[in-house]
Amino acid sequence: MKNNLELDNILKELPHGGNIYRAAKICKKAPSEIIDLSASTNPLITSREILKKIQKLFREISIFLDKYPDPECTQLKKIIAEKYKISEKAILCGNGSTELIYLSIRALSPDKVLIVEPTFIEYEKVTRISGVKKINRIFDLKKEKILKKLKTALKKEKVQAIFLCNPNNPTGWVIEKKKILEIVSEYPDITFLIDEAFIEFCEKESLLREATFYPNLIVFRSFTKFFGLAGLRLGYLVGNEKLIERLKNYKEPWSVNMFAQTLGVFLLTDKNFIKKSLQFFKKEKQYVETALQKIKVEFFPSVTNFYLLYLPKGLDLTKYLLKSGILVRNCYNFYGLNENYIRVSLKKRKENQKFLRVLKTWLKDLL
Ligand SMILES: Cc1ncc(COP(=O)(O)O)c(C=O)c1O
């Protein structure tokens, strides 16, 4: 294959999920031909029925293109506040939750940060570029052990902030809210940065409401995953009012465009989309789990729309799949993991089937 050289560099080329543009170049396809299982977004957002509604909304607001978007995201905050029964003053919207994660670290400027690993690699990146003097980590692939390790680590050395992704990317586990709150209460001097990018799959464990009255708790939410708005960029954080006022000083103005604000309002109020998406993922989860068990591929139990797989020769598989136009997230650059860990997301049935078919063929060739 002519592009072997590029395929050999595949890991360096794709440090994050979702880069269909680079993947398409590597396997000489159009980006639209890539089956992207590397980004855990909801494929139903582009279903005909939803697209029709979105196009109508976009047509209506296009006449405002020469106007600035509302810098306060007033309408969106109102809808979020109503949905979760919190104050609008406890919400700050951003251009994806990543903007807000970066902003929070800039504003809090902690000296020492603890990261619960393995997890979203941007936490490490933001701490590295923001003058954090020390990064402590705890690591485990078993959820049952992670809180115990966290408690031990905190007894040993105090930090100013903790990153905890819940549900966690890439393991797919969720830690019960009650257990997290016990630690949040015990350590009022530590700011807990809880990333709930995947919480729509288990809302009952959300700490969003608690974040409005615990002064040391910030919750990040994203429209990228469950709502599938990866390309539009929309997220928000929730914290107590005093903290929000402080964080606002660090925010660039107008980072949330008017299309994102409008779609955020639309999706949060579309109960049908939420219900259908939950049903869809439940069905696909059962289908993919059963298929993986049948071909004896090891996966970590997940409450979300992705799975962490363990496969010997994971790099080889990553390349093999890409040759068939399937992009997965090789987890080589997650702390404590290596290239034999692969994260795959659920897409529509046809795409899931193609992935399973190619995986099966690769496994057969391996024997
Ligand atoms: C846990 C987690 N948080 C946040 C993000 C980024 O979200 P956003 O697109 O809202 O910036 C990701 C994306 O991969 C993620 O996995």
Side-chain angles (χ1 to χ4, degrees):
M1 202 177 181
K2 211 175 159 194
N3 53 18
N4 254 348
L5 194 69
E6 281 177 287
L7 268 175
D8 284 343
N9 284 325
I10 182 176
L11 295 187
K12 264 194 255 144
E13 300 278 334
L14 301 164
H16 261 302
N19 195 343
I20 52 167
Y21 316 99
R22 191 72 200 111
K25 226 172 150 199
I26 294 171
C27 62
K28 308 246 183 294
K29 288 183 189 290
S32 58
E33 290 176 291
I34 300 293
I35 295 181
D36 184 13
L37 308 187
S38 72
S40 310
T41 59
N42 184 348
L44 297 190
I45 193 70
T46 54
S47 60
R48 197 176 308 167
E49 181 198 348
I50 293 288
L51 269 191
K52 240 168 105 178
K53 289 184 189 171
I54 292 175
Q55 281 156 357
K56 183 170 175 283
L57 280 173
F58 279 9
R59 261 200 310 278
E60 282 165 13
I61 59 169
S62 291
I63 54 161
F64 291 104
L65 264 179
D66 63 335
K67 311 282 186 282
Y68 278 95
D70 174 2
E72 289 293 326
C73 301
T74 314
Q75 188 58 16
L76 177 59
K77 285 203 295 197
K78 185 169 171 273
I79 297 295
I80 296 169
E82 276 171 16
K83 183 172 168 75
Y84 295 106
K85 300 187 176 48
I86 59 173
S87 160
E88 289 166 42
K89 290 183 183 155
I91 305 165
L92 185 61
C93 299
N95 186 261
S97 61
T98 306
E99 180 198 4
L100 300 167
I101 291 169
Y102 273 68
L103 177 152
S104 301
I105 290 294
R106 270 203 315 274
L108 298 169
S109 66
D111 272 346
K112 283 185 203 167
V113 170
L114 187 145
I115 304 177
V116 178
E117 301 272 15
T119 198
F120 185 42
I121 61 172
E122 288 300 315
Y123 309 149
E124 174 182 350
K125 196 166 155 216
V126 63
T127 44
R128 287 211 182 283
I129 63 166
S130 307
V132 171
K133 292 198 183 82
K134 191 160 181 236
I135 304 175
N136 290 352
R137 305 165 191 271
I138 51 159
F139 170 91
D140 212 289
L141 286 173
K142 292 214 165 71
K143 172 180 122 167
E144 296 70 32
K145 291 195 183 159
I146 210 80
L147 281 186
K148 218 171 148 192
K149 285 193 176 174
L150 178 60
K151 286 177 191 166
T152 312
L154 291 180
K155 281 202 182 98
K156 247 199 219 157
E157 189 175 359
K158 280 291 277 296
V159 293
Q160 280 91 47
I162 294 178
F163 273 116
L164 174 67
C165 186
N166 204 46
N168 188 41
N169 165 18
T171 54
W173 70 43
V174 68
I175 298 174
E176 296 74 22
K177 149 184 185 168
K178 209 177 100 203
K179 292 185 181 163
I180 300 174
L181 272 181
E182 275 170 23
I183 308 180
V184 172
S185 313
E186 198 180 333
Y187 292 95
D189 298 337
I190 300 177
T191 305
F192 287 77
L193 304 158
I194 311 288
D195 185 345
E196 295 192 350
F198 291 97
I199 200 72
E200 286 81 5
F201 295 100
C202 44
E203 284 271 10
K204 75 176 191 352
E205 304 302 352
S206 175
L207 289 165
L208 187 139
R209 295 196 63 204
E210 286 70 14
T212 66
F213 51 84
Y214 277 81
N216 59 330
L217 183 59
I218 300 179
V219 164
F220 301 96
R221 287 287 191 104
S222 172
F223 279 81
T224 292
K225 314 295 182 183
F226 184 80
F227 292 106
L229 293 190
L232 208 52
R233 315 300 304 131
L234 184 61
Y236 59 96
L237 64 75
V238 175
N240 75 82
E241 290 180 21
K242 238 169 100 183
L243 184 77
I244 296 291
E245 281 308 310
R246 192 172 147 208
L247 295 183
K248 268 184 183 170
N249 296 323
Y250 290 81
K251 191 175 175 307
E252 293 87 354
W254 311 297
S255 66
V256 188
N257 69 71
M258 64 178 184
F259 293 108
Q261 293 188 33
T262 305
L263 266 205
V265 170
F266 164 65
L267 288 173
L268 281 183
T269 45
D270 190 336
K271 284 197 179 122
N272 203 26
F273 177 75
I274 297 172
K275 196 171 142 203
K276 266 194 172 162
S277 298
L278 286 171
Q279 284 167 348
F280 163 77
F281 282 122
K282 194 173 168 198
K283 231 167 133 183
E284 289 316 299
K285 274 175 87 73
Q286 275 165 1
Y287 176 76
V288 170
E289 284 186 19
T290 309
L292 288 174
Q293 277 158 356
K294 231 172 161 175
I295 55 174
K296 297 193 170 47
V297 167
E298 195 183 324
F299 63 90
F300 290 74
S302 168
V303 298
T304 67
N305 59 337
F306 61 78
Y307 291 94
L308 181 63
L309 313 182
Y310 180 79
L311 287 138
K313 301 202 176 168
L315 175 58
D316 189 56
L317 173 63
T318 308
K319 290 182 195 174
Y320 188 88
L321 287 165
L322 197 53
K323 279 186 196 168
S324 305
I326 300 170
L327 178 62
V328 294
R329 173 66 161 101
N330 188 296
C331 295
Y332 76 100
N333 60 345
F334 277 89
Y335 180 85
L337 302 189
N338 59 42
E339 59 195 40
N340 294 329
Y341 288 92
I342 288 174
R343 194 191 68 207
V344 291
S345 312
L346 299 169
K347 296 293 158 182
K348 287 189 181 160
R349 179 63 59 94
K350 244 172 92 180
E351 291 159 332
N352 298 336
Q353 273 171 337
K354 179 159 182 199
F355 162 68
L356 290 162
R357 218 171 33 241
V358 178
L359 173 62
K360 227 164 129 179
T361 313
W362 178 80
L363 285 169
K364 256 194 210 142
D365 290 350
L366 203 64
L367 293 174

